[in-house]
Amino acid sequence: MPTSAQTAISKQRARSQADKDLRRTHLIAAARHLFAKASFEAVTIAEVAEQAGVAKGTAYIYFANKETLFLELVRAELSDWLVELTLKLKRLRSTDLATAVPRLLARSVTERAALRRLLVLLHSVIEPHIDEVAARDFKLFLHDLLTQGSTAIAAKLPGLSPQDAATLVLQLHALVISVTQLADPPPVIAKVMSDDPKLQAMCIDFESFMTATLTTLVRGTLHKG
């Protein structure tokens, strides 16, 4: 829920750029809060506005639609992930970095359930409903994130070129989307697989599967080099 100070600011007309940025931040935070408890389809702009302490019409001044709002939430989640990942890579100490780095990458996304859910939605649900300006701005953001992430990974893995590190980040992105869906199927599918011994091998644990797959990719790339 917004604090009394946030509500007071929200009820006022945002005049300065700082006030406008703060209101955007409140709306994104509200979307994050609601998305943690409900599906994308269940969250509405009206609920986000109420959570942020502003009128529904005010929310539309800042975001053209729900998809544009959630695009900003994706950006916020990815930015937080990159900051944390970069710090953990710098602190990582291991005699077997080809194993330790993939394990760290897998854990970094395992711990961010909201990010994983958002990435599943990103290309098929969110991006088709944004305009060209927002799309270009977001893709430039992703390009910068890719550069920073791959640089941090390459610095930790001697023998991994910057280009190979960038490919690894893109592979991580694709894996998060596909493995999230495999590891968290609809209830009816989960029940069918768990009830039938022949199908239980298809039930996967997200972090274990990601760790094994990323380790194979890293070791194969290093061996190739």
Side-chain angles (χ1 to χ4, degrees), residues 151-182:
T151 298
I153 292 170
K156 205 67 188 182
L157 281 172
L160 192 72
S161 70
Q163 182 178 354
D164 285 336
T167 298
L168 179 64
V169 175
L170 292 174
Q171 290 169 327
L172 173 64
H173 179 96
L175 281 168
V176 168
I177 295 170
S178 58
V179 179
T180 294
Q181 294 174 310
L182 284 173

Side-chain angles (χ1 to χ4, degrees), residues 106-127:
R107 174 58 60 88
S108 75
V109 289
T110 299
E111 294 175 339
R112 294 186 172 274
L115 175 59
R116 290 188 279 118
R117 291 172 62 206
L118 286 166
L119 291 181
V120 169
L121 296 167
L122 178 60
H123 304 295
S124 60
V125 175
I126 297 175
E127 288 185 335

Side-chain angles (χ1 to χ4, degrees), residues 181-208:
Q181 294 174 310
L182 284 173
D184 188 23
V188 63
I189 301 300
K191 185 177 187 308
V192 167
M193 292 195 299
S194 63
D195 288 348
D196 189 333
K198 297 192 301 294
L199 302 177
Q200 288 176 4
M202 299 171 65
C203 299
I204 66 170
D205 172 74
F206 179 87
E207 184 172 358
S208 298

